[in-house]
Amino acid sequence: MSSDKPGQDLKEAVGRKASLAQTISAVAWSFFGVRRGRDHENDMAKLNPVHVVIAGVLGAALFVLMLVLLVRWVIGSGVAAA
């Protein structure tokens, strides 16, 4: 462990500053399940875990919304009635 105080690692992780684009990129790649080891290590060093969780929840909600809209479109178009 790198610090003497409990919870210090978490405080340091939350203080990380990565751009919104870097966070979204890391979350998007994680949805596909593909990431290079070097990029993963870079993300672990730079990304704020709170921002990653928020981006992940928003990304999952957007994905579900897109699936619902797709299903509604397919059902409404009559393609599924065949």
Side-chain angles (χ1 to χ4, degrees):
M1 194 175 248
S2 63
S3 62
D4 296 337
K5 296 180 183 178
Q8 188 65 29
D9 291 337
L10 179 61
K11 289 179 183 177
E12 290 173 6
V14 171
R16 294 178 189 155
K17 303 290 185 213
S19 71
L20 179 63
Q22 288 173 318
T23 303
I24 291 172
S25 173
V27 170
W29 279 112
S30 71
F31 276 19
F32 288 111
V34 180
R35 195 72 172 154
R36 288 187 296 194
R38 179 182 50 186
D39 291 336
H40 174 72
E41 293 298 325
N42 190 22
D43 290 344
M44 294 295 288
K46 291 183 179 180
L47 295 178
N48 183 328
V50 175
H51 296 163
V52 172
V53 169
I54 292 169
V57 169
L58 291 175
L62 182 63
F63 178 71
V64 169
L65 177 66
M66 295 301 292
L67 285 177
V68 168
L69 291 174
L70 177 66
V71 168
R72 289 184 67 165
W73 175 76
V74 168
I75 291 173
S77 69
V79 173

